[in-house]
Every structure is written in C-alpha cells, then in structure tokens.
Amino acid sequence: MAEPMKIRVTQQGDLATVKVLMNHVMESGLRKDPKTKEPIPAHFIQNLTVSLNDTPVMEAELNGSVSQNPYLSFKIKGAKPGDKVTMNWQDSKGESGSGEALVP
C-alpha cells in the first residue's frame, strides 16, 4: 500500500490552489545498484487524475524523468468551500494511491 499523499488546498475567490506531495520512489530504470552493478527496474507514476466533486478536472501522464516524491501545484477554477478534491495515481508496477482534501 502506498503512503498517503499530503494535499493542501487554499482558495482565493473562485480559484483553488492545490499543492500535493506524493510519496513514490520514481525509479527511471536507468540507474544501477552501486553494489551489484545491476540495473534498478523502472518504477514510476504513470497516470494521475484529479477530480473536483467527482468531475475530472485534470489528467497527467508522468514518466521516469520525474524526481522521487513528486510535488505538484496547480489551480482549479470554479471551486467553492466544501468541494472535494480527489487525486488518484497508478504506477508502472500496477500499484496505486489516492488522496482527497476539502476546499476551505
């Protein structure tokens, strides 16, 4: 099971700013283990979806070039206090994670 995401939402008018820290190793598959010299298998987040009250507002495709524990920040227009922001991701090994936060 993936560690929970850390999500913070702030609002100014009808614009919500979402900041999220996802815990993930994000291995590109290009590095080698320093002891064995064997390649470290790729393991990275591939798909990320963001919904506002169960309506998709963003989809992203990530790859192995994104750093470990990715941090994202983005804005959602039209958000109101009490709205629910939900994030889901799937990685290259079939693992998944999710998190949610309310618009203040």
Side-chain angles (χ1 to χ4, degrees):
M1 174 104 187
E3 291 184 43
M5 293 185 215
K6 294 179 184 176
I7 304 173
R8 293 222 169 117
V9 182
T10 58
Q11 183 170 10
Q12 190 170 15
D14 73 338
L15 197 62
T17 301
V18 180
K19 297 178 181 181
V20 60
L21 179 64
M22 297 176 280
N23 294 306
H24 199 280
V25 296
M26 298 299 284
E27 279 294 342
S28 67
L30 301 174
R31 292 184 331 122
K32 291 184 178 183
D33 185 297
K35 292 179 182 175
T36 65
K37 306 298 185 216
E38 293 294 318
I40 299 172
H43 186 198
F44 54 88
I45 295 173
Q46 289 182 313
N47 300 305
L48 172 69
T49 58
V50 179
S51 300
L52 181 66
N53 295 327
D54 299 323
T55 302
V57 294
M58 182 177 87
E59 291 184 14
E61 292 182 11
L62 306 178
N63 59 43
S65 66
V66 177
S67 69
Q68 181 177 355
N69 299 327
Y71 169 81
L72 298 174
S73 179
F74 53 92
K75 297 179 186 297
I76 301 174
K77 190 170 185 173
K80 299 181 291 288
D83 285 353
K84 181 172 66 170
V85 176
T86 306
M87 303 184 70
N88 296 292
W89 59 257
Q90 284 192 313
D91 70 15
S92 58
K93 290 188 174 183
E95 297 174 8
S96 61
S98 64
E100 61 183 43
L102 296 177
V103 176

